Amino acid sequence: MEGSQSVDMVESWFEQFPSLFEREKRILEQYGFTLDVERLQKEKIVVFHGRSARIKEYPITIVYSDGYPSFPPAVFSCVPDELVLVRHQRKDSKSLCMFGFSHERWNASYTAREVIYEAEELIVKYSPLNFNNDYADDTVPEPLINQFPYNEYGKRGLLIPYPFGNFSFADLKSFQFAKIRYDNKSQQGILIAIQRDKEWVQAHEEYYKWFEKSSVYNAVICKLPQAPHFDPSIVLEWLRQEGYIRNSKKEKALNQFIILTFPDEWGVRGNYRMSWIVLRNIQNRPYWIKCYLITEDDIEIRTPYGKQLKDKTVSIVGAGSLGSIVATSIAQEGIGTINLIDYDDYEPGNTVRHQVSQFWFGFPKVIGVKNRILQLSPRTKVVPFPVSVEQKEKTFQTLIQSDLIIDTTGNHNVSHYLNRIATRYKVPLIVSSVTNGAWSCEVVKYIPSRSGCWICWNRRYSNTIPPSAPKNEYQFAPGCDQPTFVGGISSINIAGGLIVQSAIDIMLDMSKEGQEYILWSERDPEGNRSYNVKYLPNPPFSDCEVCMK
């Protein structure tokens, strides 16, 4: 067909950059490497074979991906298990960990010479033939659990939820038995309880509800001093010989799921946490099931302020599209308690910009948002208030006891009411909204004793109207007597991000003076794309009857 393009017509990287290919080939040949011509011709894959010049027992294979030169080649050394490099080589694929742990050492300017130098450095330092802990660096790029042969795992795995994922070897010392829920069809499951003496310790209440319709199995917990052998049949026999499991009729049912735990180095040398893996034994045919841990490490690594925010309480008034993004985002940032206030019910059409699925149609929006948060962050405490914020007997105490109030309603009556509460009881407040068309977003921060309130902002900026869709383009949602903004989810996501970042700055006392008003716009007054963000001051007026009272 005219204009069509077959796969064969797409050039590989070495065809696009012939001079680069010749350079790499020349360098590697100088070091005794040979090009795998057969794979190049048949598969269009550039592969070079050679051997370490420092320790002859290590062959080296360098494989260039289609992403080269912006993506580095992979390096393999197919050696017996007893020669696998300490920490820096996977036992299953025999690939070398050439990039260190949590910091990229590769870059697009690397040549084959750098590849060989780094591979040789790793082989010399981490070969079991001459490995010395005293001279190795502190990084641990591959914990032992990550070197298990994943191709032998089940398709999914078993979740080790809070609090079990944080347990140390000492914590697990007194535990022997466990209960798990496991769905054999999806091959997914969860650890729901472990027994200490005669007392059962359960998973966090939200996790405990997971897989409720799945079968419950008893399991035995084996606490090993080190990583088990990678062959599951060898491990099963070893567990019997060492007395970890028995073949009595009473305990045979426990042996279908055997949970193995052992101390494993993570991140840097000397930093240990428990690794988990499950050995499933059906008719004496054992196989591995991968375990997924929920740990505090995830918060520390992925959210810079998670520990500082977990004791904070935020009240969000408005659970529409903007409010739902703000609520789910601050939960993922690590906020411990979130109060949701909104009287409105959820409609399927809301899904276009909302974080809640269509399944929750007819429920209050706050119920849908709560369940979405708990899917993302089960340990977050979410308190829904399916009422109007003006119903003081149900919401007033909640608001004044918050560390921060966020208004996402875009309703000035609500904003005035919340402003009076915030200024009287010295509670930080964010008033946020998007314009018709979502062409712009306004974020106004009130910080007690430091900034002006929302009334001050109105006096100062009310005549400054940000860009928005022309009035003759106003849209009315079905059954709605008020115009709705017509912007898409991409615009709301940006607005929500600015609000969440402002919330974090306030709660961590990181807000800068003179940046109390954030005005973001994605278009100019004519409607053309023109991204812009301004940080403007909102100091208090000395005669403000609200915040200076």
Side-chain angles (χ1 to χ4, degrees):
M1 182 183 296
E2 186 178 351
S4 66
Q5 187 179 41
S6 68
V7 175
D8 292 336
M9 293 177 65
V10 178
E11 290 185 333
S12 299
W13 75 267
F14 60 89
E15 294 171 318
Q16 290 181 301
F17 308 105
S19 59
L20 184 59
F21 170 69
E22 288 299 327
R23 183 198 71 181
E24 296 292 282
K25 182 173 180 291
R26 184 175 61 255
I27 293 173
L28 286 165
E29 287 176 345
Q30 291 173 356
Y31 286 89
F33 284 76
T34 58
L35 175 65
D36 192 327
V37 178
E38 183 178 355
R39 293 195 67 181
L40 181 66
Q41 292 175 345
K42 290 184 177 181
E43 304 175 46
K44 286 194 172 184
I45 298 177
V46 177
V47 179
F48 287 89
H49 301 286
R51 187 165 291 275
S52 169
R54 305 286 296 276
I55 305 180
K56 299 297 184 182
E57 288 85 350
Y58 287 86
I60 297 176
T61 298
I62 301 175
V63 181
Y64 287 80
S65 71
D66 284 340
Y68 191 79
S70 60
F71 194 82
V75 182
F76 302 86
S77 182
C78 294
V79 293
D81 285 354
E82 61 268 19
L83 290 183
V84 168
L85 303 184
V86 179
R87 302 192 187 101
H88 285 261
Q89 187 176 11
R90 294 180 65 100
K91 280 189 168 67
D92 54 350
S93 65
K94 302 298 172 70
S95 63
L96 271 61
C97 308
M98 299 284 287
F99 48 82
F101 186 82
S102 76
H103 58 88
E104 290 283 347
R105 288 160 64 184
W106 284 97
N107 60 68
S109 64
Y110 264 26
T111 67
R113 186 172 287 106
E114 281 82 18
V115 175
I116 295 171
Y117 285 171
E118 191 159 339
E120 291 282 18
E121 180 186 3
L122 291 177
I123 290 171
V124 170
K125 278 188 176 182
Y126 295 99
S127 168
L129 297 175
N130 58 357
F131 178 71
N132 188 330
N133 257 317
D134 296 333
Y135 297 102
D137 63 35
D138 287 335
T139 59
V140 185
E142 287 293 347
L144 291 173
I145 190 65
N146 289 345
Q147 298 182 32
F148 275 92
Y150 287 138
N151 58 323
E152 295 184 14
Y153 286 143
K155 293 181 180 179
R156 302 292 184 265
L158 186 78
L159 185 71
I160 310 298
Y162 181 84
F164 310 133
N166 291 324
F167 279 8
S168 66
F169 192 80
D171 294 329
L172 286 166
K173 190 174 182 180
S174 58
F175 291 104
Q176 291 181 304
F177 303 108
K179 289 183 182 294
I180 67 173
R181 290 199 188 107
Y182 195 78
D183 179 21
N184 290 292
K185 185 176 181 180
S186 68
Q187 299 184 45
Q188 286 180 291
I190 186 169
L191 176 65
I192 57 173
I194 57 178
Q195 187 181 36
R196 177 170 50 203
D197 299 325
K198 294 184 179 180
E199 176 189 3
W200 284 93
V201 178
Q202 291 186 347
H204 181 276
E205 59 181 341
E206 288 300 325
Y207 289 109
Y208 192 83
K209 301 173 185 176
W210 290 22
F211 299 99
E212 284 186 314
K213 296 182 179 180
S214 300
S215 301
V216 176
Y217 296 88
N218 294 316
V220 63
I221 300 178
C222 300
K223 299 166 285 295
L224 309 181
Q226 59 189 19
H229 195 281
F230 301 110
D231 186 332
S233 59
I234 292 176
V235 173
L236 182 62
E237 184 58 32
W238 178 82
L239 290 170
R240 289 169 177 159
Q241 291 176 359
E242 296 296 316
Y244 284 101
I245 59 173
R246 298 178 178 87
N247 285 326
S248 64
K249 290 183 179 180
K250 182 179 179 181
E251 296 194 6
K252 195 170 183 180
L254 294 173
N255 295 345
Q256 186 174 156
F257 284 90
I258 304 168
I259 300 174
L260 308 180
T261 65
F262 60 91
D264 203 353
E265 280 188 310
W266 292 75
V268 295
R269 281 197 298 155
N271 177 40
Y272 286 89
R273 77 179 191 187
M274 297 303 293
S275 281
W276 299 62
I277 191 166
V278 170
L279 187 67
R280 191 170 191 191
N281 180 31
I282 299 179
Q283 297 180 346
N284 216 33
R285 297 175 62 184
Y287 62 90
W288 294 117
I289 296 177
K290 183 179 180 181
C291 289
Y292 295 87
L293 274 64
I294 303 294
T295 73
E296 296 292 342
D297 292 342
D298 297 319
I299 297 176
E300 293 181 29
I301 293 172
R302 292 178 170 86
T303 56
Y305 310 114
K307 275 192 170 182
Q308 297 164 267
L309 296 172
K310 67 179 181 179
D311 295 325
K312 300 292 186 181
T313 298
V314 175
S315 292
I316 300 175
V317 183
S321 57
L322 185 58
S324 70
I325 287 176
V326 171
T328 53
S329 297
I330 66 170
Q332 291 173 290
E333 290 281 0
I335 297 295
T337 303
I338 300 174
N339 301 311
L340 300 172
I341 304 172
D342 195 321
Y343 66 90
D344 200 11
D345 289 339
Y346 191 69
E347 299 182 14
N350 294 137
T351 314
V352 175
R353 289 188 297 242
H354 212 278
Q355 297 302 293
V356 176
S357 72
Q358 294 183 5
F359 173 83
W360 292 100
F361 69 91
F363 281 83
K365 287 180 177 178
V366 292
I367 300 299
V369 175
K370 173 185 175 179
N371 281 275
R372 177 58 179 155
I373 290 173
L374 294 179
Q375 288 178 334
L376 298 168
S377 179
R379 291 169 57 193
T380 303
K381 181 181 178 181
V382 186
V383 184
F385 293 85
V387 298
S388 169
V389 70
E390 287 91 344
Q391 294 187 23
K392 300 179 183 179
E393 70 279 3
K394 296 184 179 179
T395 62
F396 180 73
Q397 289 297 326
T398 296
L399 291 171
I400 66 175
Q401 292 171 5
S402 304
D403 294 297
L404 174 67
I405 301 170
I406 302 177
D407 173 16
T408 64
T409 64
N411 185 319
H412 284 204
N413 289 331
V414 172
S415 301
H416 278 293
Y417 171 65
L418 295 176
N419 187 63
R420 290 195 296 271
I421 289 179
T423 52
R424 181 170 182 178
Y425 293 95
K426 304 302 179 186
V427 181
L429 169 68
I430 292 177
V431 178
S432 57
S433 63
V434 292
T435 63
N436 176 57
W439 286 8
S440 61
C441 165
E442 295 177 287
V443 182
V444 182
K445 298 184 283 186
Y446 164 67
I447 306 172
S449 305
R450 285 179 50 186
S451 70
C453 67
W454 196 63
I455 298 298
C456 297
W457 174 82
N458 268 282
R459 290 175 60 180
R460 185 170 283 114
Y461 296 107
S462 61
N463 292 326
T464 304
I465 302 175
S468 65
K471 289 185 178 181
N472 60 1
E473 294 184 14
Y474 278 178
Q475 299 282 337
F476 289 80
C480 179
D481 61 356
Q482 295 293 326
T484 182
F485 62 83
V486 294
I489 186 64
S490 59
S491 301
I492 310 306
N493 276 328
I494 297 174
L498 290 171
I499 297 165
V500 173
Q501 289 173 355
S502 297
I504 292 171
D505 289 347
I506 289 175
M507 286 183 286
L508 298 181
D509 197 26
M510 294 168 54
S511 278
K512 292 185 177 180
E513 186 177 353
Q515 296 187 359
E516 296 81 23
Y517 173 35
I518 303 175
L519 173 60
W520 168 77
S521 57
E522 68 171 42
R523 305 198 189 196
D524 60 23
E526 286 72 43
N528 303 307
R529 294 283 185 193
S530 179
Y531 288 93
N532 185 34
V533 61
K534 295 179 181 178
Y535 295 88
L536 303 169
N538 186 39
F541 283 100
S542 59
D543 60 344
C544 178
E545 296 182 358
V546 179
C547 64
M548 298 299 288
K549 200 168 185 177

